[in-house]
Amino acid sequence: MATDITKELECLKQKILLLGTTVENNLADALDSVFRKDPSLAEQVRFTDREIDEIEVGVEDDCLSLLALHQPVARDLRFIVTALKINIDLERIGDLAVKIAGKVTHLVNSNNFGKLRTDIPEEIFSELNGMCKETRSMLKQALDAFAKRDVALAYAVILEDDKVDIAKNLIGSCLEKNIKEDPSSHQHLATLLSISRSLERIADHTTNICEDIIYMLQGRIIRHRVDERFEVNTFRL
């Protein structure tokens, strides 16, 4: 029986990694669709999200079956619980990728992207681009931490979340200032603000994933415990 659950846990791990890779690629396509003003790529993001939803449901079914049939304990139980929670966060990241891609139609149809390039300082686009890269990097590293059972990497990703928060606040302040100076720009500036907020939420979900990885590997719940989150030198499995 132990061998059977070991094989099933490995299968579950591979499904989580498949889901993560699909979400990661779809997020990249969503961001590319915005910067390229590509409605067809945005539509592909929405189509791929159906696949993400199907994988997510399958992972949940597998987790519940493992719990019911094997009644696992200790590390096996922590792994399944972690898989369930990561599954949810990845699906929500997928939904946010769809939300980002949904902004493309508005930008293209109203030619607002051209207005943005004219009206907004270049550093804001640079900041948004950096925010995109940081968020994608966090997600990739979180998946690597899960695949390699790397608790140090999970802690490191959590520390990166502040960079995304700072970028979102900077972008928000600048865009809100521009909106006040030119109320007619409200609609297209709000689009960029919405994208930055979605990126921040993706980073938050990625942080949740890393907190769950730490629980899986160390049995420690560090959520809401700021003093424990940054004890990066206490990696004892």
Side-chain angles (χ1 to χ4, degrees), residues 126-152:
S126 177
E127 197 70 38
L128 184 61
N129 188 47
M131 191 178 183
C132 292
K133 291 179 179 178
E134 184 67 34
T135 304
R136 290 179 57 187
S137 175
M138 285 180 65
L139 179 57
K140 182 182 185 304
Q141 290 182 83
L143 294 172
D144 286 346
F146 176 75
K148 299 174 183 177
R149 300 176 63 85
D150 189 338
V151 71

Side-chain angles (χ1 to χ4, degrees), residues 79-122:
F79 178 82
I80 296 170
V81 170
T82 298
L84 272 170
K85 297 175 74 175
I86 290 177
N87 191 43
I88 293 170
D89 278 306
L90 287 173
E91 192 274 334
R92 289 176 178 169
I93 292 173
D95 287 344
L96 288 165
V98 172
K99 183 176 181 180
I100 291 171
K103 302 301 178 183
V104 173
T105 301
H106 169 71
L107 289 171
V108 171
N109 289 349
S110 58
N111 198 30
N112 282 327
F113 199 88
K115 295 179 183 177
L116 289 169
R117 294 297 291 177
T118 302
D119 298 342
I120 304 301
E122 181 65 30

